Amino acid sequence: MMINNIFALFLVGVLGNIFIMKRAKTLVSFFLCVLLGITSYVLIHTYLLGQDTKFSLIWLKYLNLEVNIDLYLNKTLYQILIPIFILSVCASFFSIFQKDEGGQRFVSFIFLNLCFYIILLSSKNMVQLLVASNLISVIGFCQINDVDARKKYAFYNFLSDITLFSICSLCYAYLNTLDINAVELYQKTGAHKDLVVILFIFAISIKSGLLMFHNQFYDMSVLQFNRLNYLLYCGTPTAGMIILYKLIGILNLSDYGLISIKLLALGTFLSGLYNAFLKDNLKEKAVGIAQLNWGMSFYLISVSPNNMGQILGAGLFLSYLLNLMAYSVYNISSYEQNISKMGGFIKKLKFSFALYFISFICGINLFWSNLSPISSVICFIYILVLSLFLGYAFHQIFLGVTQADERVYALLKNNNWSVYLIMILFCLIAFRYINIDKEALPINIISFLVFLISFIFYPLRNLAHFYQNEQIQETDIYADIFEYIVLAPLIILGRILWLLVDFILIERTIINTLNNLFSKFLILLQKANHFSLRTSFAYLALGFLLLMLWQYIRK
Amino acid sequence: MLNNFSHLSLIILIPFLGMLFTLAAKDSDEIKTNNAYNVAIFTVISNIIMLMRMFSLIKVDTAGLQLTEKYAWMKNPDINIMLGVDILSLMMLLAIHIAYIIGYVGIRNNNKKQKSLLVLSLLFLSMVNGFFISGDIFSFYMFFEAMLIPLFLLLGMFGDIKRKEYINRFFVYNMVGAILFFAAVVLLFNYQKGVLGLQQLSLMDLSNRLEYFIWGAIFLSLLSRIPVWPFHYWISSVDSNLRNPMVFIISIIIPLTGLYGFIRFLPQTLPQVLDIVILILQIISVITMLFIALIGFTNKDRQYKIFSYVTVYYIMYLLGIITGKEVILLNIVYSLFSYLLIVASLEIFSYYLYKEQSQYSILDDGMLCAYPRLSLLYSFMSLAAVGLPISSLFLSNFLILSNLLASNIQMGIIMLLAIIIVSCALLNEFFRLRDFEKWSLNIIEVKDISPKFFSLMIFVCFCLLMSFIKPLWFLFIL
């Protein structure tokens, strides 16, 4: 059944991209959304029944090379897949209500993305993993409808994919097998282990937007909110997590592997904190929230990779919920992006506020009940930070004197029912799976208190001054670093090689000299054709030389 | 009965006859009829059909030359011509023929010296076919050198203002190569008391100076065709200055002949004494790769970027061939199939843009935005060129790279860097051509590529995709 669904996903994705409907766009989007919903239901149903999906096909076989396509899904892999499917349904659902020109194409790409996610998750060999990773990058590329954002994304992901490609080819060279599980044997048979680990961390960092490579996602803040959210949670960052999960054995090749990932996760978390609190733009704040999630998730995956399903599920759930709130506020406030131009919304948005708050409580409870067994300290810190942030952001949106444009304020209404519906559904799902015990109660109380203090007393009010600071709002320090440390030296080196070495040294000096020598040689030959004593001796000497050479060669 | 049918002679003969017919066709630059063009296209398609037939006749898994033909040429000295094919040569021939079709369709509306171009290109095709199916050292040498004659003439006709300069280089480098190869063939003939088959050559032991000299001469001669320093210079001068896409496609087949020579002549067991030579070659190769890649990255000329891509990949294939593993050789050929198609397509698209640019006197920034069909194809080819899993380049490069990284990690990393730089150069060019903001400055009515051309290129994209799924996918149809 699941196999048929995978093929159906692929087929609908391809057809949806080829036959773009110019009429009845909403109907088509609705139809696609329903289709995706049914597929997700089948997936969840198969998971609940505890059925494994197994399918294997010999893809290529020649000489001593054999590459298979494996579609193997067990309970753990289903657990990882379900949140991605649910978020995809949400994204396609929201796309129905958007005035997005490429809505049908966007949803069709969601179908293809899911198909490639399944291929990635069920990969047992490196080639399948690489193919799926590349294809997920391509789908992301197609979903970004802005030139600059697309360009940065393409370069980053190309670097990530080619690095991963090199690591896998090196592993294959030493292991002589494409099997992913054999990566652990590299410790015994492989070489350049530290290099492999460094490259692997580099590839994963770029793919998942970890510290230093997260700016690719900030460039996406020009995209529509729904697209942005989808790319943040169902795009390459999650693919990066899955690749880490699949190839986690590589980190053990070096003593510094796991520590480096933890440090990067911490750095990403801090960077997310910086952006979530200091950026004025709601979409950039949303990216900051996603960064917080990536930091936390990477840390937990490095601690306990076996719980990947819970980490991904609970992390995505809570983080996506916060981004949904931002999306909802953005919609309600007539697409106002800057939080500094809000305030005092509670008078008109009481229902929204209450719903946001309840869903947040549900989110943190689901998060705590799933992830606290892995690392209660990390989870506690994460929840505290989110509570603090939410109180801080809510204060700026809902309390105080409004800074909003008169028209924006006048049009405020609790009318964003599509987001409300999804939030309510999320709350219901959360209630179903929350396991509130005695331990969870203090966490709830503490997080509530932190939220309340942050919301009412607004202790972090000084941070809001940075909204006016252009340096913080506009500067992309990592792009500058990339520009000055990587790109500029390459261009300078290229110019030097081109002008000094290629043009002046080789063309004007060496080649010209050779040309002149050749001409001189021809003139000399011409002169030698005239009989004289000197030329006769020269020919005689040449003959002797050739004879000697022949004798030398014959030995 | 079919096995006695001279397939191999025919695929040399068909382009030759096509050339004669084209020569006789009533075409001139002033009165534009399509006779010559149609004959040329028909000739290449006929040859593709012949190649398909040959694919169905050979046993893919069997090593060694098949469908062999032998002709006695001279009694004294005793010279026999032997022809034969295997999967390696057939794949390369198929790629060349498809690249030819792409090239021909791309120059359809050319008016300048069209007939001469078609005649000489068909002559070149005939010679190249002979080269790839030659089964002995003598015929190999003969075709190896004969293919330069039409190219020499084409460069004279279609080169730019500096053509005299680089024709000189072309002549000097290739003459040195030809003399060396000739000396090797004569010595070999004398040493073996007769003409040697190509298969026997790779089995020879290198044990004395004469053998070393022979191999050295052949290797240098083959290297003169590959853009490795110092030989890269004539190729770079030729390739980066050509503005006719068909001549460019022909000129990039020249390094392919050098590579093929290496595949055929590389001894199965290399003596340890040659390790140092191989190491020097590897060092020179990776430095050339990085050098050309960096210049390609900086240079703003699209043609140079394509040339740098061509160079980097050719050298990578050369390094792969030197490893001498059978699975790598096979993958290099699969990879070369896609590579030739991609390069030919990119060159044709680039030429189309140049033409449009000069017609409307506009900047080419963001130009692709006005050509949706071309943009789609350009995107596909650029992504395939950088190695995404949409052509056989992906898996084949994976295996080649795995071997090279394992054999020498430093070399592998430099090579990888060169590949990354040259791919970034291509991607950068692609994004420059797709920059909508810059294009919106000069919005004008333009004409996209014709539906026929688009359909052909979609078919090429399909071939590339299929080659990713299975390199020999078309065997299922036969």
Side-chain angles (χ1 to χ4, degrees), chain A residues 257-302:
Chain A
L258 281 168
I259 298 166
S260 306
I261 278 285
K262 281 177 186 166
L263 281 174
L264 271 171
L266 182 69
T268 310
F269 189 82
L270 292 174
S271 164
L273 216 58
Y274 170 88
N275 290 308
F277 278 96
L278 301 187
K279 292 281 182 184
D280 189 16
N281 189 320
L282 264 182
K283 289 179 185 171
E284 289 182 358
K285 275 193 188 297
V287 181
I289 295 166
Q291 268 191 285
L292 291 174
N293 174 43
W294 300 334
M296 178 276 304
S297 301
F298 269 90
Y299 190 90
L300 292 185
I301 292 169
S302 62

Tab-separated table of all heavy atoms in Angstrom, chain A residues 257-302:
chain	number	residue	atom	x	y	z
A	257	GLY	N	34.417	14.673	16.746
A	257	GLY	CA	33.207	14.697	15.921
A	257	GLY	C	31.972	15.147	16.680
A	257	GLY	O	31.343	16.148	16.330
A	258	LEU	N	31.651	14.419	17.740
A	258	LEU	CA	30.428	14.712	18.486
A	258	LEU	C	30.510	16.061	19.181
A	258	LEU	O	29.532	16.819	19.216
A	258	LEU	CB	30.159	13.606	19.504
A	258	LEU	CG	29.525	12.341	18.911
A	258	LEU	CD1	29.557	11.208	19.906
A	258	LEU	CD2	28.091	12.616	18.463
A	259	ILE	N	31.705	16.368	19.710
A	259	ILE	CA	31.863	17.660	20.405
A	259	ILE	C	31.639	18.808	19.422
A	259	ILE	O	30.971	19.796	19.753
A	259	ILE	CB	33.288	17.770	21.025
A	259	ILE	CG1	33.464	16.665	22.046
A	259	ILE	CG2	33.518	19.116	21.676
A	259	ILE	CD1	34.878	16.440	22.494
A	260	SER	N	32.186	18.650	18.219
A	260	SER	CA	32.034	19.723	17.222
A	260	SER	C	30.564	19.949	16.892
A	260	SER	O	30.116	21.101	16.798
A	260	SER	CB	32.772	19.364	15.937
A	260	SER	OG	34.083	19.054	16.216
A	261	ILE	N	29.833	18.864	16.723
A	261	ILE	CA	28.402	19.005	16.413
A	261	ILE	C	27.681	19.703	17.563
A	261	ILE	O	26.839	20.588	17.355
A	261	ILE	CB	27.777	17.617	16.113
A	261	ILE	CG1	28.051	17.213	14.673
A	261	ILE	CG2	26.288	17.574	16.375
A	261	ILE	CD1	27.212	17.947	13.618
A	262	LYS	N	28.052	19.325	18.792
A	262	LYS	CA	27.392	19.952	19.953
A	262	LYS	C	27.706	21.445	20.004
A	262	LYS	O	26.828	22.263	20.290
A	262	LYS	CB	27.855	19.267	21.238
A	262	LYS	CG	27.142	17.943	21.463
A	262	LYS	CD	27.651	17.247	22.678
A	262	LYS	CE	27.021	15.870	22.775
A	262	LYS	NZ	27.674	15.002	23.724
A	263	LEU	N	28.971	21.775	19.723
A	263	LEU	CA	29.350	23.193	19.744
A	263	LEU	C	28.616	23.971	18.656
A	263	LEU	O	28.150	25.089	18.893
A	263	LEU	CB	30.868	23.330	19.531
A	263	LEU	CG	31.723	23.054	20.759
A	263	LEU	CD1	33.197	23.079	20.407
A	263	LEU	CD2	31.424	24.076	21.863
A	264	LEU	N	28.523	23.354	17.491
A	264	LEU	CA	27.800	24.015	16.388
A	264	LEU	C	26.330	24.194	16.739
A	264	LEU	O	25.727	25.227	16.428
A	264	LEU	CB	27.919	23.183	15.112
A	264	LEU	CG	29.127	23.504	14.235
A	264	LEU	CD1	29.262	22.474	13.135
A	264	LEU	CD2	28.992	24.890	13.629
A	265	ALA	N	25.778	23.169	17.403
A	265	ALA	CA	24.371	23.248	17.812
A	265	ALA	C	24.190	24.396	18.797
A	265	ALA	O	23.234	25.179	18.677
A	265	ALA	CB	23.946	21.931	18.435
A	266	LEU	N	25.132	24.520	19.723
A	266	LEU	CA	25.062	25.599	20.704
A	266	LEU	C	25.167	26.963	20.000
A	266	LEU	O	24.405	27.887	20.300
A	266	LEU	CB	26.198	25.434	21.728
A	266	LEU	CG	26.228	26.459	22.853
A	266	LEU	CD1	25.046	26.258	23.778
A	266	LEU	CD2	27.527	26.355	23.643
A	267	GLY	N	26.113	27.053	19.077
A	267	GLY	CA	26.296	28.291	18.324
A	267	GLY	C	25.041	28.653	17.558
A	267	GLY	O	24.623	29.820	17.533
A	268	THR	N	24.423	27.651	16.948
A	268	THR	CA	23.193	27.897	16.180
A	268	THR	C	22.083	28.378	17.111
A	268	THR	O	21.329	29.292	16.772
A	268	THR	CB	22.748	26.604	15.473
A	268	THR	OG1	23.872	26.068	14.785
A	268	THR	CG2	21.641	26.841	14.485
A	269	PHE	N	22.024	27.763	18.259
A	269	PHE	CA	20.996	28.144	19.239
A	269	PHE	C	21.188	29.614	19.651
A	269	PHE	O	20.236	30.393	19.676
A	269	PHE	CB	21.121	27.226	20.460
A	269	PHE	CG	20.006	27.377	21.441
A	269	PHE	CD1	18.795	26.723	21.240
A	269	PHE	CD2	20.143	28.189	22.558
A	269	PHE	CE1	17.754	26.871	22.152
A	269	PHE	CE2	19.109	28.347	23.460
A	269	PHE	CZ	17.919	27.680	23.260
A	270	LEU	N	22.446	29.985	19.935
A	270	LEU	CA	22.722	31.367	20.355
A	270	LEU	C	22.427	32.349	19.224
A	270	LEU	O	21.870	33.426	19.453
A	270	LEU	CB	24.184	31.504	20.801
A	270	LEU	CG	24.523	30.752	22.095
A	270	LEU	CD1	26.011	30.830	22.386
A	270	LEU	CD2	23.722	31.302	23.270
A	271	SER	N	22.779	31.933	18.033
A	271	SER	CA	22.505	32.788	16.874
A	271	SER	C	20.991	32.949	16.685
A	271	SER	O	20.510	34.042	16.374
A	271	SER	CB	23.153	32.170	15.636
A	271	SER	OG	22.637	32.724	14.496
A	272	GLY	N	20.260	31.853	16.912
A	272	GLY	CA	18.798	31.900	16.816
A	272	GLY	C	18.230	32.849	17.858
A	272	GLY	O	17.315	33.627	17.579
A	273	LEU	N	18.816	32.790	19.036
A	273	LEU	CA	18.387	33.660	20.138
A	273	LEU	C	18.569	35.124	19.755
A	273	LEU	O	17.669	35.951	19.934
A	273	LEU	CB	19.274	33.327	21.348
A	273	LEU	CG	18.652	33.378	22.731
A	273	LEU	CD1	17.475	32.449	22.808
A	273	LEU	CD2	19.694	33.002	23.768
A	274	TYR	N	19.732	35.401	19.218
A	274	TYR	CA	20.067	36.764	18.779
A	274	TYR	C	19.043	37.246	17.752
A	274	TYR	O	18.503	38.341	17.876
A	274	TYR	CB	21.485	36.728	18.189
A	274	TYR	CG	21.924	37.971	17.464
A	274	TYR	CD1	22.524	39.022	18.163
A	274	TYR	CD2	21.765	38.096	16.090
A	274	TYR	CE1	22.939	40.165	17.497
A	274	TYR	CE2	22.169	39.234	15.419
A	274	TYR	CZ	22.758	40.266	16.119
A	274	TYR	OH	23.165	41.390	15.462
A	275	ASN	N	18.783	36.415	16.766
A	275	ASN	CA	17.888	36.839	15.686
A	275	ASN	C	16.429	36.907	16.127
A	275	ASN	O	15.702	37.808	15.719
A	275	ASN	CB	18.022	35.899	14.486
A	275	ASN	CG	19.359	36.069	13.809
A	275	ASN	OD1	19.743	37.171	13.469
A	275	ASN	ND2	20.104	34.990	13.661
A	276	ALA	N	16.025	35.966	16.974
A	276	ALA	CA	14.633	35.958	17.420
A	276	ALA	C	14.334	37.203	18.258
A	276	ALA	O	13.253	37.783	18.155
A	276	ALA	CB	14.348	34.696	18.213
A	277	PHE	N	15.290	37.604	19.068
A	277	PHE	CA	15.035	38.748	19.942
A	277	PHE	C	15.307	40.088	19.266
A	277	PHE	O	14.621	41.055	19.542
A	277	PHE	CB	15.893	38.633	21.219
A	277	PHE	CG	15.275	37.725	22.244
A	277	PHE	CD1	15.639	36.391	22.341
A	277	PHE	CD2	14.316	38.211	23.123
A	277	PHE	CE1	15.062	35.550	23.273
A	277	PHE	CE2	13.732	37.365	24.065
A	277	PHE	CZ	14.107	36.035	24.135
A	278	LEU	N	16.289	40.127	18.404
A	278	LEU	CA	16.724	41.432	17.905
A	278	LEU	C	16.198	41.821	16.527
A	278	LEU	O	16.242	42.974	16.162
A	278	LEU	CB	18.260	41.526	17.897
A	278	LEU	CG	18.944	41.346	19.244
A	278	LEU	CD1	20.423	41.622	19.124
A	278	LEU	CD2	18.348	42.276	20.296
A	279	LYS	N	15.734	40.853	15.764
A	279	LYS	CA	15.256	41.198	14.418
A	279	LYS	C	13.847	41.763	14.499
A	279	LYS	O	12.988	41.226	15.219
A	279	LYS	CB	15.274	39.967	13.511
A	279	LYS	CG	16.670	39.459	13.187
A	279	LYS	CD	17.327	40.280	12.120
A	279	LYS	CE	18.703	39.710	11.804
A	279	LYS	NZ	19.444	40.490	10.840
A	280	ASP	N	13.616	42.784	13.727
A	280	ASP	CA	12.320	43.458	13.731
A	280	ASP	C	11.319	42.726	12.831
A	280	ASP	O	10.134	42.648	13.122
A	280	ASP	CB	12.534	44.892	13.233
A	280	ASP	CG	11.305	45.749	13.411
A	280	ASP	OD1	10.415	45.340	14.175
A	280	ASP	OD2	11.217	46.816	12.780
A	281	ASN	N	11.845	42.167	11.754
A	281	ASN	CA	10.994	41.516	10.761
A	281	ASN	C	10.436	40.190	11.300
A	281	ASN	O	11.193	39.348	11.794
A	281	ASN	CB	11.855	41.258	9.519
A	281	ASN	CG	11.042	40.796	8.351
A	281	ASN	OD1	10.121	40.014	8.501
A	281	ASN	ND2	11.394	41.276	7.165
A	282	LEU	N	9.121	40.018	11.207
A	282	LEU	CA	8.487	38.800	11.745
A	282	LEU	C	9.029	37.531	11.079
A	282	LEU	O	9.228	36.508	11.723
A	282	LEU	CB	6.982	38.854	11.499
A	282	LEU	CG	6.101	39.365	12.633
A	282	LEU	CD1	4.650	39.290	12.212
A	282	LEU	CD2	6.297	38.558	13.902
A	283	LYS	N	9.273	37.629	9.759
A	283	LYS	CA	9.766	36.444	9.042
A	283	LYS	C	11.177	36.095	9.507
A	283	LYS	O	11.530	34.919	9.629
A	283	LYS	CB	9.749	36.706	7.535
A	283	LYS	CG	8.364	36.746	6.952
A	283	LYS	CD	8.430	37.030	5.478
A	283	LYS	CE	7.052	37.196	4.877
A	283	LYS	NZ	7.105	37.670	3.504
A	284	GLU	N	11.958	37.129	9.765
A	284	GLU	CA	13.320	36.862	10.257
A	284	GLU	C	13.273	36.291	11.667
A	284	GLU	O	14.097	35.457	12.040
A	284	GLU	CB	14.153	38.138	10.196
A	284	GLU	CG	14.470	38.523	8.755
A	284	GLU	CD	15.332	39.744	8.612
A	284	GLU	OE1	15.679	40.364	9.623
A	284	GLU	OE2	15.647	40.085	7.456
A	285	LYS	N	12.297	36.763	12.427
A	285	LYS	CA	12.104	36.177	13.767
A	285	LYS	C	11.755	34.692	13.628
A	285	LYS	O	12.220	33.855	14.397
A	285	LYS	CB	10.978	36.904	14.506
A	285	LYS	CG	11.430	38.159	15.233
A	285	LYS	CD	10.362	38.623	16.179
A	285	LYS	CE	10.699	39.972	16.785
A	285	LYS	NZ	11.897	40.007	17.594
A	286	ALA	N	10.921	34.402	12.621
A	286	ALA	CA	10.525	33.004	12.388
A	286	ALA	C	11.750	32.146	12.065
A	286	ALA	O	11.865	31.009	12.538
A	286	ALA	CB	9.524	32.938	11.252
A	287	VAL	N	12.672	32.719	11.295
A	287	VAL	CA	13.899	31.966	10.991
A	287	VAL	C	14.707	31.767	12.274
A	287	VAL	O	15.285	30.699	12.505
A	287	VAL	CB	14.742	32.687	9.907
A	287	VAL	CG1	15.987	31.885	9.575
A	287	VAL	CG2	13.934	32.923	8.650
A	288	GLY	N	14.712	32.810	13.104
A	288	GLY	CA	15.414	32.697	14.395
A	288	GLY	C	14.838	31.572	15.238
A	288	GLY	O	15.580	30.784	15.848
A	289	ILE	N	13.507	31.476	15.258
A	289	ILE	CA	12.860	30.387	16.028
A	289	ILE	C	13.274	29.032	15.453
A	289	ILE	O	13.570	28.082	16.193
A	289	ILE	CB	11.320	30.556	15.989
A	289	ILE	CG1	10.920	31.839	16.702
A	289	ILE	CG2	10.630	29.365	16.649
A	289	ILE	CD1	9.490	32.274	16.431
A	290	ALA	N	13.302	28.968	14.121
A	290	ALA	CA	13.715	27.704	13.479
A	290	ALA	C	15.153	27.371	13.870
A	290	ALA	O	15.487	26.208	14.137
A	290	ALA	CB	13.585	27.838	11.974
A	291	GLN	N	15.986	28.395	13.944
A	291	GLN	CA	17.385	28.159	14.341
A	291	GLN	C	17.477	27.599	15.752
A	291	GLN	O	18.301	26.717	16.020
A	291	GLN	CB	18.141	29.482	14.297
A	291	GLN	CG	18.831	29.753	12.969
A	291	GLN	CD	19.763	30.928	13.122
A	291	GLN	OE1	19.305	32.054	13.191
A	291	GLN	NE2	21.045	30.670	13.184
A	292	LEU	N	16.627	28.135	16.631
A	292	LEU	CA	16.610	27.610	18.006
A	292	LEU	C	16.290	26.114	17.969
A	292	LEU	O	16.917	25.300	18.662
A	292	LEU	CB	15.546	28.333	18.841
A	292	LEU	CG	15.804	29.797	19.184
A	292	LEU	CD1	14.599	30.392	19.871
A	292	LEU	CD2	17.021	29.929	20.088
A	293	ASN	N	15.325	25.774	17.129
A	293	ASN	CA	14.928	24.370	17.007
A	293	ASN	C	16.065	23.515	16.453
A	293	ASN	O	16.343	22.429	16.951
A	293	ASN	CB	13.684	24.279	16.122
A	293	ASN	CG	13.305	22.855	15.829
A	293	ASN	OD1	13.324	22.002	16.711
A	293	ASN	ND2	12.997	22.577	14.576
A	294	TRP	N	16.740	24.024	15.415
A	294	TRP	CA	17.830	23.245	14.820
A	294	TRP	C	18.942	23.012	15.846
A	294	TRP	O	19.480	21.914	15.946
A	294	TRP	CB	18.418	23.961	13.598
A	294	TRP	CG	17.436	24.199	12.499
A	294	TRP	CD1	16.307	23.469	12.248
A	294	TRP	CD2	17.450	25.240	11.529
A	294	TRP	NE1	15.634	24.002	11.169
A	294	TRP	CE2	16.310	25.084	10.702
A	294	TRP	CE3	18.305	26.308	11.249
A	294	TRP	CZ2	16.016	25.935	9.638
A	294	TRP	CZ3	18.022	27.157	10.183
A	294	TRP	CH2	16.882	26.967	9.397
A	295	GLY	N	19.254	24.081	16.589
A	295	GLY	CA	20.309	23.967	17.600
A	295	GLY	C	19.966	22.887	18.615
A	295	GLY	O	20.764	21.980	18.884
A	296	MET	N	18.712	22.975	19.115
A	296	MET	CA	18.275	22.000	20.127
A	296	MET	C	18.256	20.584	19.528
A	296	MET	O	18.763	19.631	20.132
A	296	MET	CB	16.883	22.429	20.612
A	296	MET	CG	16.222	21.556	21.628
A	296	MET	SD	15.342	20.158	20.936
A	296	MET	CE	14.224	20.907	19.793
A	297	SER	N	17.704	20.467	18.343
A	297	SER	CA	17.567	19.133	17.738
A	297	SER	C	18.940	18.495	17.469
A	297	SER	O	19.141	17.316	17.747
A	297	SER	CB	16.803	19.219	16.417
A	297	SER	OG	15.554	19.752	16.623
A	298	PHE	N	19.848	19.279	16.933
A	298	PHE	CA	21.173	18.710	16.642
A	298	PHE	C	21.875	18.264	17.913
A	298	PHE	O	22.548	17.232	17.929
A	298	PHE	CB	22.035	19.722	15.866
A	298	PHE	CG	21.889	19.566	14.383
A	298	PHE	CD1	20.925	20.263	13.682
A	298	PHE	CD2	22.681	18.670	13.683
A	298	PHE	CE1	20.768	20.098	12.317
A	298	PHE	CE2	22.527	18.492	12.309
A	298	PHE	CZ	21.562	19.213	11.626
A	299	TYR	N	21.686	19.038	18.952
A	299	TYR	CA	22.306	18.646	20.210
A	299	TYR	C	21.724	17.309	20.688
A	299	TYR	O	22.460	16.378	21.034
A	299	TYR	CB	22.080	19.732	21.274
A	299	TYR	CG	22.884	19.497	22.521
A	299	TYR	CD1	24.164	20.036	22.628
A	299	TYR	CD2	22.415	18.701	23.559
A	299	TYR	CE1	24.941	19.798	23.754
A	299	TYR	CE2	23.164	18.451	24.680
A	299	TYR	CZ	24.429	18.999	24.767
A	299	TYR	OH	25.198	18.741	25.876
A	300	LEU	N	20.411	17.234	20.660
A	300	LEU	CA	19.769	16.008	21.155
A	300	LEU	C	20.074	14.804	20.255
A	300	LEU	O	20.247	13.688	20.748
A	300	LEU	CB	18.257	16.206	21.287
A	300	LEU	CG	17.811	17.185	22.375
A	300	LEU	CD1	16.293	17.195	22.488
A	300	LEU	CD2	18.422	16.859	23.734
A	301	ILE	N	20.153	15.035	18.949
A	301	ILE	CA	20.465	13.905	18.048
A	301	ILE	C	21.871	13.395	18.340
A	301	ILE	O	22.116	12.182	18.360
A	301	ILE	CB	20.347	14.336	16.555
A	301	ILE	CG1	18.899	14.621	16.196
A	301	ILE	CG2	20.867	13.221	15.626
A	301	ILE	CD1	18.708	15.290	14.841
A	302	SER	N	22.791	14.323	18.613
A	302	SER	CA	24.155	13.870	18.904
A	302	SER	C	24.215	13.139	20.243
A	302	SER	O	25.070	12.289	20.461
A	302	SER	CB	25.134	15.041	18.900
A	302	SER	OG	24.780	15.958	19.899
